[in-house]
Amino acid sequence: MDSKVQAHTLAQGHELRIEVKPDKVLLLKLVQGEAEIFGTELALGEQLSLRGQKLAVFTWNGCTVELAAEDAQVDDVAESVYESDDTPMLSYLNVHESLEQRRRAAREAGTSGRTGPRTIVVGPTDVGKSSLCRILLNYAVRTGWAPTAVDLDIGQGSITVPGSIAATPVEGPIDVEEGMPIDLPLVFYYGHQTPTENPELYRAVVERMSSILDKRENVDVQAAGLIINTMGFIEGLGYELLLHAISALRADVVLVLGQERLFNQLKTHLRAQQRVSVVRLHSSGGVVSRTPPVRKQARMQRVKEYFYGVRGDLSPHSQTIRLDDLRIYRIGGGPRAPTSALPIGASSVADPIRVTPVSASLDLMHSMLAVSHAATPDQLLSVNVAGFVLITDVDIVQRTITYLAPCPGSLPGRYLIAGSFKVFLE
Ligand code: ADP
């Protein structure tokens, strides 16, 4: 055997935890048995390229995997590789099985309005929320469903770029290299990196997304249900937004990862609502914590992937157009009401969900703008977005603006939404 190849044989119920160094590629191949990565089954003999990823190869029945690196030793590209038999996978499988029963019951009930399970995964940052969502989505797909993934985490964004919330049907196993399917996501742009910037807008986009998801009439789609990922922001406003998301999306299964206090808080709060079950789950010892700079870097990486592809195989288009040809709006920040309409002594505060035009200026440099499907500015809050552009240059003298778009041609909508999210791609 090639001396650069490392073989690992795993017993039943064990996992191999792998942390690939940032910007490095580790090659992984299943050579015997059965294995999965966050619920996605590996094909025997197929080589996967893991780019800077942290993950676990788990096996229910035992397997052998081979690790290798191109022109390097495994240790040169992997920060750590170790085996563990202490995983919460059995409890995750049990959760899947109870969701499965609910799905079947909803399908049998047909058009009676009974929906499948709406599962929301909550907990602090770095407890494995995204990984658990992925496992549950993949297990549902493996039993023949197409569940809907909903991502409310504006900080990282597993479906589309950060600063947005998104939903997408998951019809096949989630690709280990590429991540979530992005063919037809339903996306709303919030435009900021933290919910504290404009919590009312955050609530408004969550409510809007929920009402659109409710309109889907297909029995199987409704029976498959939702798997909702959330932000790790769980204190104060973060907790209020969690409660809001649970009620706006009518979640009825709340999976709490890793924090007993949050579990007790939610259990007490939701006690009166019989239909909601709150379940505490252990987080995996393999979950890797990320420092704020690492998170920031991951955010920028997501944006880069949006324009350049996960493998760097897409070529975005740079376009320069006249400033006056773009119609850019901002949500929030405008006056709430004329002072004359307010009671004496009251001061006017900015209306958090008012749509106001943005005049072109150097402030737009490096801004991520969402291209809306809206036909008029007053629809900007209620209509989803088609995609994103990144402003790379503003020339005030020539009155032109240059942007990067993922594909060539004219933009799919006339109206663009600006926020405070700035991106610096090196
Ligand atoms: P959260 O969504 O709560 O912030 P994630 O699910 O994103 O947490 O997990 C944090 C990091 O840990 C991710 O890079 C994820 O791929 C990694 N990870 C999760 N579970 C494991 C595991 N069992 N072994 C190795 N890495 C893992």
Side-chain angles (χ1 to χ4, degrees):
M1 190 193 285
D2 186 338
S3 64
K4 286 183 193 151
V5 175
Q6 245 185 41
H8 294 264
T9 297
L10 305 174
Q12 292 180 2
H14 287 214
E15 69 181 23
L16 188 67
R17 294 175 180 162
I18 301 171
E19 289 183 43
V20 185
K21 290 182 183 166
D23 304 322
K24 298 282 184 200
V25 180
L26 178 71
L27 305 173
L28 175 119
K29 200 194 295 181
L30 173 71
V31 291
Q32 178 268 315
E34 291 162 12
E36 58 186 54
I37 293 179
F38 301 137
T40 305
E41 288 172 291
L42 304 188
L44 206 59
E46 188 193 339
Q47 182 163 279
L48 293 173
S49 301
L50 310 176
R51 293 176 165 74
Q53 284 162 275
K54 328 277 179 225
L55 47 78
V57 181
F58 176 82
T59 180
W60 290 106
N61 294 309
C63 72
T64 304
V65 289
E66 282 181 1
L67 304 181
E70 247 165 49
D71 305 321
Q73 300 290 331
V74 167
D75 292 347
D76 297 333
V77 299
E79 244 151 57
S80 79
V81 175
Y82 68 97
E83 195 180 326
S84 173
D85 63 351
D86 183 12
T87 88
M89 289 300 283
L90 194 57
S91 60
Y92 296 175
L93 182 65
N94 289 337
V95 169
H96 160 71
E97 272 161 9
S98 61
L99 298 179
E100 199 57 23
Q101 284 173 11
R102 297 266 317 271
R103 291 187 183 109
R104 278 191 231 116
R107 179 187 269 161
E108 274 158 30
T111 49
S112 67
R114 181 168 178 177
T115 59
R118 294 176 158 227
T119 310
I120 188 162
V121 179
V122 307
T125 45
D126 297 333
V127 284
K129 295 184 297 300
S130 319
S131 309
L132 174 59
C133 287
R134 208 160 159 155
I135 292 168
L136 295 175
L137 287 163
N138 273 324
Y139 283 3
V141 165
R142 276 160 70 171
T143 39
W145 299 96
T148 300
V150 179
D151 193 358
L152 303 182
D153 185 0
I154 48 174
Q156 294 294 317
S158 56
I159 299 176
T160 186
V161 298
S164 327
I165 65 162
T168 187
V170 180
E171 288 166 350
I174 300 170
D175 193 288
V176 172
E177 296 175 358
E178 299 258 341
M180 289 278 195
I182 47 161
D183 313 342
L184 274 179
L186 174 67
V187 181
F188 284 91
Y189 193 43
Y190 165 71
H192 311 285
Q193 289 176 62
T194 67
T196 39
E197 292 269 347
N198 191 344
E200 248 179 87
L201 174 58
Y202 184 83
R203 287 191 188 96
V205 287
V206 172
E207 284 166 22
R208 187 61 196 144
M209 160 149 312
S210 173
S211 71
I212 294 187
L213 292 177
D214 276 351
K215 290 203 178 86
R216 301 174 309 166
E217 279 170 0
N218 182 303
V219 170
D220 279 346
V221 167
Q222 287 296 352
L226 310 178
I227 305 278
I228 308 159
N229 193 17
T230 59
M231 303 179 276
F233 181 35
I234 53 165
E235 305 287 341
L237 173 68
Y239 182 69
E240 279 170 35
L241 293 176
L242 268 187
L243 290 177
H244 172 263
I246 292 169
S247 104
L249 286 152
R250 297 199 318 286
D252 47 17
V253 181
V254 182
L255 303 178
V256 188
L257 268 179
Q259 220 207 46
E260 206 169 347
R261 190 165 79 92
L262 179 64
F263 168 70
N264 286 322
Q265 235 177 336
L266 284 169
K267 225 175 149 51
T268 313
H269 242 121
L270 299 169
R271 190 178 293 142
Q273 299 181 33
Q274 304 261 319
R275 54 169 205 94
V276 184
S277 35
V278 185
V279 180
R280 182 168 181 236
L281 290 171
H282 285 287
S283 90
S284 164
V287 176
V288 180
S289 324
R290 291 161 289 186
T291 57
V294 171
R295 275 172 187 288
K296 186 163 180 216
Q297 210 233 331
R299 250 197 310 272
M300 292 305 137
Q301 182 60 26
R302 283 296 294 163
V303 177
K304 219 167 162 180
E305 285 171 11
Y306 178 77
F307 290 106
Y308 292 90
V310 173
R311 301 183 176 94
D313 52 357
L314 301 181
S315 24
H317 289 258
S318 181
Q319 197 141 345
T320 301
I321 61 167
R322 290 189 312 130
L323 265 173
D324 303 327
D325 289 346
L326 278 191
R327 296 195 167 39
I328 307 174
Y329 285 78
R330 186 182 299 283
I331 306 176
R336 187 185 282 272
T339 318
S340 57
L342 292 170
I344 294 165
S347 57
S348 174
V349 279
D351 181 346
I353 53 170
R354 187 186 147 115
V355 174
T356 45
V358 175
S359 48
S361 75
L362 287 176
D363 281 353
L364 284 171
M365 278 291 281
H366 307 294
S367 290
M368 276 292 278
L369 303 185
V371 184
S372 176
H373 280 304
T376 55
D378 60 350
Q379 291 179 350
L380 282 170
L381 194 59
S382 55
V383 173
N384 54 312
V385 305
F388 298 88
V389 295
L390 177 63
I391 305 296
T392 51
D393 197 20
V394 180
D395 188 330
I396 294 295
V397 179
Q398 302 288 331
R399 294 206 56 76
T400 59
I401 197 160
T402 304
Y403 63 79
L404 198 65
C407 22
S410 54
L411 296 174
R414 288 185 64 195
Y415 297 104
L416 290 95
I417 308 172
S420 62
F421 186 33
K422 299 242 172 175
V423 171
F424 300 86
L425 296 179
E426 75 272 9

